[in-house]
């Protein structure tokens, strides 16, 4: 019953992951490949955390 109002940490990480990918795409469109690479790397780190949470 009390778990009803708790937020799912995987959902929060998924949203952050999607935002990082969107930012990376925008950086690539603007020709900023360094920003694209760093944002993609951050997104992949978030993806690893999401996978770890789902396995637990």
């Amino acid at each position: 019953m009390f778990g009803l109002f708790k937020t799912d940490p995987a959902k929060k990480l998924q949203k952050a992951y999607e935002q990082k990918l969107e930012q990376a795409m925008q950086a690539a469109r603007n020709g900023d490949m360094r920003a694209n690479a760093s944002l993609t790397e951050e997104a992949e780190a978030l993806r690893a955390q999401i996978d770890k949470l789902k396995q637990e």
Side-chain angles (χ1 to χ4, degrees):
M1 179 173 157
F2 294 107
L4 177 66
F5 298 108
K6 289 185 180 179
T7 59
D8 184 16
K11 277 188 176 182
K12 186 176 181 181
L13 286 174
Q14 180 68 31
K15 185 174 181 180
Y17 171 72
E18 290 172 3
Q19 287 176 344
K20 288 290 180 185
L21 286 179
E22 181 73 27
Q23 291 172 352
M25 182 186 65
Q26 292 298 326
R29 284 184 178 172
N30 292 333
D32 191 358
M33 290 311 196
R34 286 185 188 208
N36 179 27
S38 66
L39 289 168
T40 302
E41 185 177 338
E42 291 174 18
E44 291 305 317
L46 287 171
R47 186 70 194 161
Q49 289 178 349
I50 292 169
D51 290 341
K52 184 178 176 184
L53 279 175
K54 287 186 178 181
Q55 288 178 353
E56 292 177 352

